Amino acid sequence: MTVVTEAPPGVLTEPPRVAHRRRRVRPSAAAAGVVVGLIVVVAVVGPFLVGDPNAGDPSQRLLAVATHGHLLGTDGQGRDVFARLVDGTRLSLLAGLVPVLFAAVVGTGLGVTAGLSGRWAHRLIMRTLDVFYAFPAVLLAIAIAAALGSGISNSIIALAVILVPPVARVAETETRRLVDLDYMEAARASGASRGAIALRQVLPNVAPPVVVYCTALIGLSIVYAAGLSFLGLGVSPPTAEWGLMVSDHTQYIYTAPFLAAVPALAILVASVAFNVLGDGLRDLLDVRGEARP
């Protein structure tokens, strides 16, 4: 005899898989999410709350940290470091997000197309993308930015170009894993077009690993953008941007080391936060689990 009982009040009745996913949200990932959220808030509203980041007073140059009226002191031109750091958050985050968004869209499209195509189309797409792997990503970004000229727009283009191939590789690998699964065979047997299969069966399963990978790429893109600005291939003075601030302040490294340390620390925190957030999303989205039909 089968006895049917109701769960006592307050007892969890969710599917075990859902409850398991909730328990896997690590504190470090939650903290990283908070840091990323703060960075976004600062980038959006921060510039409206601080003064002109380019306004300087030569008589107030190189003031120490916690000086009255200057939380992080002033630089060699008497400009408030805190105001420039806050204002530069917007450009640094923009240089991290936009190239990754472009790479996510284009790279996923190329990867899914290659994964669902025949041998020759697959080889054409992937071997073309493999050409970019012949050059170190940093050197390729520098070469593209140098050819296009300085400016935030050209930096974004250079970074977008170097980020498309790895994203396409992730999408193609995941698509190839799905091709031979039973539900894909059923979709093809039902007469569904290749486009319908890509949109309904492939993309929902490819999206989680791509999102996880691209989240980590945002931190890398911020570092690359800062490096281009440091080399003079990014934004132009007197625009406030973290990489350019490090470059401008290296001449005071012995007399006022905090000037270069502050923007460098901001770059480090943003990069680590996005990487840890990506690890948390990997656990939350369960990208290593079985594909869902």
Side-chain angles (χ1 to χ4, degrees):
M1 175 182 294
T2 302
V3 179
V4 179
T5 59
E6 294 182 359
V11 175
L12 181 65
T13 58
E14 294 179 295
R17 185 176 179 82
V18 175
H20 180 57
R21 284 186 180 182
R22 289 185 177 179
R23 289 196 299 267
R24 286 193 302 180
V25 179
R26 294 175 296 176
S28 59
V34 172
V35 173
V36 170
L38 289 175
I39 292 174
V40 173
V41 170
V42 170
V44 174
V45 304
F48 300 101
L49 302 179
V50 297
D52 183 3
N54 298 321
D57 183 357
S59 64
Q60 301 291 313
R61 63 191 302 269
L62 298 180
L63 294 180
V65 175
T67 301
H68 178 69
H70 301 284
L71 181 62
L72 296 178
T74 59
D75 63 9
Q77 300 182 36
R79 299 174 298 189
D80 186 80
V81 175
F82 179 74
R84 291 183 61 77
L85 185 72
V86 170
D87 190 75
T89 304
R90 178 174 50 186
L91 279 181
S92 295
L93 185 62
L94 183 70
L97 286 174
V98 175
V100 174
L101 288 175
F102 177 85
V105 174
V106 176
T108 301
L110 290 174
V112 171
T113 301
L116 293 177
S117 299
R119 178 189 303 177
W120 294 108
H122 176 269
R123 286 184 176 179
L124 176 63
I125 295 174
M126 299 312 297
R127 295 297 82 78
T128 301
L129 293 176
D130 285 345
V131 172
F132 292 92
Y133 286 103
F135 308 93
V138 175
L139 295 182
L140 184 58
I142 292 174
I144 296 174
L148 296 176
S150 61
I152 185 63
S153 299
N154 293 335
S155 295
I156 290 175
I157 293 173
L159 295 176
V161 170
I162 68 170
L163 294 180
V164 166
V167 174
R169 176 64 67 183
V170 171
E172 183 268 344
T173 300
E174 191 66 17
T175 302
R176 300 289 288 182
R177 185 182 71 84
L178 301 173
V179 166
D180 296 327
L181 296 183
D182 292 340
Y183 81 93
M184 291 285 288
E185 294 289 347
R188 287 191 290 267
S190 68
S193 65
R194 185 172 297 177
I197 293 175
L199 291 175
R200 297 177 183 177
Q201 276 77 34
V202 176
L203 280 179
N205 289 292
V206 171
V210 169
V211 169
V212 170
Y213 185 68
C214 287
T215 302
L217 278 185
I218 294 175
L220 183 63
S221 182
I222 291 175
V223 174
Y224 282 170
L228 291 177
S229 295
F230 182 86
L231 296 174
L233 299 174
V235 299
S236 302
T239 305
E241 194 269 344
W242 293 346
L244 185 60
M245 290 177 65
V246 175
S247 178
D248 289 343
H249 297 159
T250 51
Q251 57 182 313
Y252 306 109
I253 195 67
Y254 295 110
T255 57
F258 68 90
L259 288 178
V262 167
L265 182 61
I267 296 170
L268 176 63
V269 169
S271 177
V272 172
F274 278 106
N275 274 277
V276 175
L277 180 60
D279 290 340
L281 287 177
R282 180 191 60 199
D283 297 336
L284 183 63
L285 297 177
D286 193 19
V287 299
R288 294 175 182 174
E290 290 297 327
R292 57 179 176 83

